[in-house]
Amino acid sequence: MANSAQARKRARQSVKQRTHNASLRTAFRTAVKKVLKAVEAGDKAAAQAVYRDSVKVIDRIADKGVFHKNKAARHKSRLSAKVKALA
């Protein structure tokens, strides 16, 4: 257990930040899954609309440092390729 007041405060802050980051990671995964589900349904217009919304979520989370920007770019690139592959 933390001994100093400063260390106790940091411990409290890290718990709060960890739960917030966990919710952001969940939002990231949900955004990716929504696009994949739309792609599997085969509706290109719907998939493009969902993709645009998901890109906003992915970028916002990457800007906060929850994920590395390259990871966000990799996911966006792969999702974009799947949306474009729809006939």
Side-chain angles (χ1 to χ4, degrees), residues 15-70:
V15 168
K16 191 173 181 180
Q17 191 62 45
R18 193 165 51 247
T19 57
H20 185 252
N21 286 344
S23 69
L24 293 176
R25 280 193 299 273
T26 302
F28 180 94
R29 293 184 192 122
T30 303
V32 170
K33 287 178 187 177
K34 281 183 183 177
V35 176
L36 294 176
K37 188 174 180 182
V39 167
E40 287 177 14
D43 185 5
K44 187 167 186 170
Q48 287 173 332
V50 173
Y51 173 75
R52 278 193 300 273
D53 294 337
S54 295
V55 165
K56 292 175 189 173
V57 172
I58 292 169
D59 283 336
R60 189 172 65 242
I61 292 170
D63 285 340
K64 293 181 181 188
V66 177
F67 288 116
H68 196 278
K69 287 185 184 274
N70 288 358

Side-chain angles (χ1 to χ4, degrees), residues 1-14:
M1 182 61 196
N3 289 325
S4 66
Q6 176 184 0
R8 283 193 294 272
K9 181 176 179 180
R10 277 311 291 168
R12 286 194 309 271
Q13 288 175 326
S14 65

